[in-house]
Amino acid sequence: MLLSSAAIAGSLVGLAVSFRNLPDVRVLRNYVPTQTTYIFDINGQHLSSIHGEANREVVHLNHIAPNLKRAVLAIEDSYFYYHPGVNPGGIARALLVNLEHGETMEGGSTLTMQLIKNLFLTPKRTFSRKVAEAVLSLRLEQIFSKNEILEMYLNQVYWGHNTYGVETAAQSYFSKPAANLTLAEAALMAGLVQAPEDFSPFVNPQLAKQRQALVLHRMRELNWITAAQAQAALQEPLKFGKITSFKQSQAPYITDAVTQELIQRFGQAAVQKGGMRVQTTVDLKLQKLATETVNRGYASLRNQGLYADQMALVAVDPRTHFIKAMVGGVNYTKSQYNRVTQALRQPGSAFKPFVYYTAFASGRYTPDSGIEDSPVSYPDGNELYTPKNYDGSFYGSMSIRQALAQSRNIPAIRLGQAVGLSKVIEVCRTLGMTSPIEPVISLPLGAVDLTPLEMANAYATFASNGWYAPPTLIVQVTDNEGNVLLDHTPKLKLVLDPWATASLTSVLQDVINNGTGTAAQIGRPAAGKTGTTSSERDIWFVGYVPQLATAVWVGNDDYEPLGHGATGGGFVAPIWADFMQQALKGVPVENFQSASEFIRPN
């Protein structure tokens, strides 16, 4: 008896000590469960979701269908609104079952106790854990209302396939919000809680229907629904959705870049668990057009015998410098490398407009100024650098307009020396280019490595007559309560001379109208430039209308030559035109501003 008394006393002391060390349930007043971050296009179309283990969207209780609340309570805890957190009757029934089987078969847990177990305790079935569960449940019910506890439970509980909370589960199982679930759908979902993966309709549809019938039967027993309602729910055809966790983005190159920026700004944990709402600059319609254009263009190039394994396309709105579409390669599944933002490639003659703009901005040149297309050499270290034109010929004296429209190399070299390569580089930096640029004599011919995004955004600044902003993929980021975390409202600055940009645009229109880029004609005023490297490793077309600037690059990741005769005008300009014609359908035709509307710089 002494030993028994000592054991009982010791157990009581142990329980008392353990109760003193239990978590403080008041912390739940500030508890925010992990939530999925959602990425949308500029019009609110869902692009992708980011989450870790828990794919969850938290909703308020009044945004959950009454059918679902009743169905869950019926099968999990029908006395929820009557007990203080612990249901002695339920525990007694569970105790009898466990004694009968000689092991823990039922827990007799209330909904409150289940919530406590999920939030604070281990799932291991022990007597001490059950006692702790009961104590914490009583404490929880003293602090929170029944509705608050039910809301926490429904947002916390696991529903299978990495979906947590009713909203995410409803979207997964039935492709609709939890607020819109029918009685039949709610009963099936409620039946999953006990063993979500086993009872899932995606895994075992017959077992899921059996569980649905069990829930409806229980609701009928409780007089929460009528027999007719139960029968109608059983017979209602169910249209299932699909597993939403870890599915591929609708625009993977976009969402990869957005995710990378978010992680840099907020950290990985905040992005995966913080429930952010991210509005991107991308128009999903344009993004799909861009992807289709790249696929068509790539197939066409291969059919024409051009040995090219990659292509990239990026479109920027000159009025905001928002990136509207971005395709970083021909096949995301095979290569996630984003050539729009990561590939540094030589732009060839597509670089020449930066030299010609610098000349116009100096006030010493106009599009009609003369320039010599004749042999010339320059000292380059211990050697002489002697530039050549693509076709090896010389045209003699010609206007700057003709020289750029026909993409003559020697006039561009001469002009670069005349205005100063340091000035050209300064213009490039003003246009946001951060890639290394050296003042080599051949710089005007594109002897520099730049990304397609740098090129597209620079041309977008030409399109807007000198108004610049850094390119961005993100319009706004908010938390799950709507508080703004990041705002990229356009803040454009005038960084170029309007007369010089208008003059350049006029010349670049001639490139398309009667120069090397005639294949880029789209039936409306457009300006642009072809680009071909001397080694024929990179071919480009970069062009714009007042509402959209687009760069298209073609090449090989291993820098292998594309083949003799590969030019931007012959192969890439038609791809650019294909995209722009589709992207601008329904968009009003706008003319560029004339240089005569601005004052020429001194």
Side-chain angles (χ1 to χ4, degrees), residues 486-501:
L486 180 65
D487 183 9
H488 277 169
T489 300
K491 296 177 181 177
L492 277 70
K493 294 188 298 182
L494 185 63
V495 298
L496 300 182
D497 179 80
W499 180 89
T501 54

Side-chain angles (χ1 to χ4, degrees), residues 405-426:
Q406 299 301 321
S407 199
R408 306 302 288 176
N409 288 342
I410 292 174
I413 293 289
R414 288 180 180 274
L415 204 55
Q417 292 297 304
V419 300
L421 295 178
S422 61
K423 288 288 187 182
V424 176
I425 295 173
E426 185 179 321

Side-chain angles (χ1 to χ4, degrees), residues 70-139:
R70 284 193 288 264
V72 169
L73 291 174
I75 198 67
E76 293 295 324
D77 187 0
S78 58
Y79 292 95
F80 173 70
Y81 279 97
Y82 302 100
H83 62 64
V86 176
N87 185 353
I91 293 175
R93 285 192 301 272
L95 181 60
L96 290 174
V97 172
N98 295 340
L99 289 173
E100 182 180 339
H101 289 85
E103 59 179 316
T104 303
M105 298 292 292
E106 292 186 14
S109 294
T110 64
L111 187 147
T112 313
M113 294 169 73
Q114 291 181 47
L115 179 62
I116 287 293
K117 180 185 70 177
N118 289 336
L119 291 176
F120 293 113
L121 304 174
T122 68
K124 188 177 180 181
R125 291 182 172 182
T126 63
F127 176 72
S128 60
R129 195 215 73 191
K130 293 300 294 183
V131 173
E133 225 176 74
V135 172
L136 289 176
S137 296
L138 292 169
R139 290 180 182 175

